[in-house]
């Protein structure tokens, strides 16, 4: 039963619950108007203490397309956080007005803390460089819709694997499906943190095959999925390091010639420089479709957590 639950960590959902959400999202894609009244009278609260385009707007679009309404704030400065209100008090308050909450906050662990004080389902829409479970649902739906399966894939994760919360969540989740292989492509300084490796690889019942490497070109021809990421400027301690590392990887049409015909390129977006514009017209580039799948999967998640199917 998903009704009434929070979604804070990617592991909060079992594999069968993941499938349940994905198949509801697929039903919604097939006949979206069957759901246009499902959440009439319900309110989604969006608490965004950090910038967002896709996550916040796709959550709002999801609730509106389900016939519900939304309220919230899109920056800390326009909430009472600017007056010194604690996160806990803000959550307690907004939970009085909304039936379900989506929260993004720059501090790792903030969503887990908030979940102890909310009286309605709380969804983590990103907590610092930690996790972003609804981006993972988005990524999973995109992979299922384009590759047909979540198993036996060779997946390259490329870019800022240290601070990228979407990578941490996706890795923790995709290691739970059989037969996947992971090629972790990053500069030395931006490798996956040990705590994520431990959770994603060492503590799994399945033994997971992964390699850490620096050059994308060395593995591009092997990949079924290439997950590109932005270097997370806002999480760096100094500007010079960011400037040095920001253009470590740039995927362009020339590199794409070495990839499989049916490889897909994902990116949670926003993109800065890591994918050249010329790649956008390649049918393997599915990152804007991915943004749309994000809305459908959030519709499914809202329905499940509110228990209004
Ligand atoms: C990502 C995020 O916020 O972590 N964006 C998103 O939610 N689609 C990735 C990023 O900001 O680089």
């Amino acid at each position: 039963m998903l009704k009434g639950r929070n979604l804070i960590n990617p592991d909060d959902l079992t594999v069968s619950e993941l499938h349940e959400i994905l198949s509801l999202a697929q039903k919604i894609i097939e006949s979206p108007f069957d759901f246009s009244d499902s959440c009439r009278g319900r309110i989604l609260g969006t608490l965004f203490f950090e910038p967002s385009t896709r996550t916040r707007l796709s959550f709002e679009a999801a609730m509106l397309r389900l016939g519900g309404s939304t309220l919230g704030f899109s920056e800390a400065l326009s909430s009472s956080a600017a007056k010194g209100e604690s996160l806990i008090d803000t959550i307690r308050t907004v939970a009085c007005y909304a039936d379900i909450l989506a929260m993004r906050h720059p501090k790792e662990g903030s969503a887990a803390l908030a979940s102890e004080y909310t009286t309605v389902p709380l969804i983590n829409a990103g907590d610092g460089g930690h996790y972003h479970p609804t981006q993972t649902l988005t990524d999973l739906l995109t992979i299922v819709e384009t590759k047909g399966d979540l198993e036996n894939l060779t997946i390259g994760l490329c870019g800022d694997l240290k601070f990228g919360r979407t990578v941490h969540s996706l890795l923790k989740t995709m290691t739970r499906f059989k037969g996947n292989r992971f090629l972790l492509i990053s500069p030395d300084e931006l490798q996956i943190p040990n705590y994520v490796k431990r959770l994603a690889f060492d503590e799994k019942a399945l033994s997971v095959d992964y390699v850490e490497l620096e050059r994308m070109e060395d593995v591009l021809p092997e990949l079924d999925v290439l997950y590109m990421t932005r270097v997370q400027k806002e999480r760096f301690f100094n500007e010079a390091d960011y400037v040095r590392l920001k253009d470590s990887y740039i995927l362009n049409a020339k590199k794409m010639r070495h990839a499989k015909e049916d490889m897909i390129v994902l990116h949670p977006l926003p993109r800065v420089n890591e994918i050249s514009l010329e790649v956008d017209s390649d049918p393997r580039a599915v990152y804007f479709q991915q943004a749309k799948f994000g809305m459908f999967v959030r519709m499914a998640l809202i329905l499940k957590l509110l228990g209004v199917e």
Side-chain angles (χ1 to χ4, degrees), residues 16 27-29 32 36 43 65 67 71 95 97 125 133 150 152 160 174 176 199 201 216 221 225 248-249 259 288 308:
S16 97
K27 276 191 206 140
I28 297 172
I29 292 171
S36 353
I43 297 177
R65 283 178 188 273
L71 53 77
Y97 308 140
L150 295 169
N152 303 315
D160 186 347
M174 286 306 281
R176 297 156 77 195
L199 295 167
F201 301 124
M216 184 205 289
V225 177
S248 300
Y249 302 98
F288 288 106
V308 286

Side-chain angles (χ1 to χ4, degrees), residues 51 54-55 104 132 135 165-166 230 232 234 267-270:
R54 274 147 294 269
T55 305
R104 169 172 288 186
H132 189 352
Q135 181 62 45
R165 57 194 173 196
T166 66
R230 169 181 75 91
Q232 305 280 297
E234 64 276 32
H267 191 311
L269 303 177

Side-chain angles (χ1 to χ4, degrees), residues 17-266:
E17 287 165 347
L18 288 169
H19 282 301
E20 212 183 294
I21 294 168
L22 295 176
S23 48
L24 179 56
Q26 288 175 311
K27 276 191 206 140
I28 297 172
I29 292 171
E30 272 163 36
S31 41
F33 296 107
D34 289 356
F35 298 84
S36 353
D37 266 335
S38 311
C39 285
R40 184 157 306 285
R42 311 288 184 122
I43 297 177
L44 165 76
T46 51
L47 300 86
F48 278 67
F49 296 90
E50 246 194 3
S52 170
T53 298
R54 274 147 294 269
T55 305
R56 187 172 63 84
L57 296 182
S58 67
F59 260 116
E60 294 191 2
M63 192 47 145
L64 296 172
R65 283 178 188 273
L66 292 168
S69 317
T70 72
L71 53 77
F73 52 85
S74 54
E75 51 176 349
L77 282 179
S78 67
S79 78
S80 282
K83 300 180 186 170
E85 185 170 59
S86 70
L87 173 63
I88 293 169
D89 287 359
T90 304
I91 288 289
R92 279 185 158 144
T93 307
V94 188
C96 299
Y97 308 140
D99 303 294
I100 184 165
L101 303 175
M103 181 184 100
R104 169 172 288 186
H105 196 281
K107 283 230 170 70
E108 290 79 12
S110 52
L113 173 71
S115 72
E116 292 177 30
Y117 296 91
T118 181
T119 49
V120 300
L122 174 78
I123 303 166
N124 178 10
D127 62 323
H130 203 201
Y131 296 127
H132 189 352
T134 64
Q135 181 62 45
T136 301
L137 291 173
T138 302
D139 304 338
L140 261 51
L141 181 60
T142 311
I143 296 172
V144 168
E145 287 284 300
T146 53
K147 305 293 294 178
D149 205 347
L150 295 169
E151 298 182 349
N152 303 315
L153 298 166
T154 298
I155 302 168
L157 296 149
C158 177
D160 186 347
L161 310 188
K162 179 178 182 187
F163 296 115
R165 57 194 173 196
T166 66
V167 167
H168 304 164
S169 301
L170 183 61
L171 197 57
K172 257 183 107 178
T173 305
M174 286 306 281
T175 49
R176 297 156 77 195
F177 294 91
K178 273 202 310 265
N180 292 324
R181 247 184 97 215
F182 300 89
L183 300 169
L184 309 174
I185 310 160
S186 74
D188 261 5
E189 289 151 279
L190 297 180
Q191 282 184 353
I192 299 265
N194 284 330
Y195 80 92
V196 177
K197 268 195 225 163
R198 199 175 57 245
L199 295 167
F201 301 124
D202 304 344
E203 291 176 10
K204 297 282 159 185
L206 307 163
S207 73
V208 183
D209 181 4
Y210 76 94
V211 181
E212 295 181 281
L213 68 143
E214 194 152 352
R215 272 172 44 91
M216 184 205 289
E217 291 81 348
D218 294 347
V219 293
L220 205 46
E222 297 174 42
L223 303 179
D224 300 308
V225 177
L226 172 59
Y227 196 90
M228 294 296 295
T229 61
R230 169 181 75 91
V231 176
Q232 305 280 297
K233 181 177 186 194
E234 64 276 32
R235 317 246 181 261
F236 275 70
F237 296 111
N238 77 70
E239 174 86 10
D241 286 344
Y242 170 70
V243 171
R244 186 166 47 79
L245 292 165
K246 71 184 171 67
D247 291 328
S248 300
Y249 302 98
I250 300 179
L251 183 67
N252 55 23
K254 189 165 166 235
K255 293 198 181 102
M256 286 297 283
R257 284 204 284 275
H258 301 284
K260 287 185 190 170
E261 293 271 291
D262 64 347
M263 183 189 80
I264 52 167
V265 185
L266 302 189

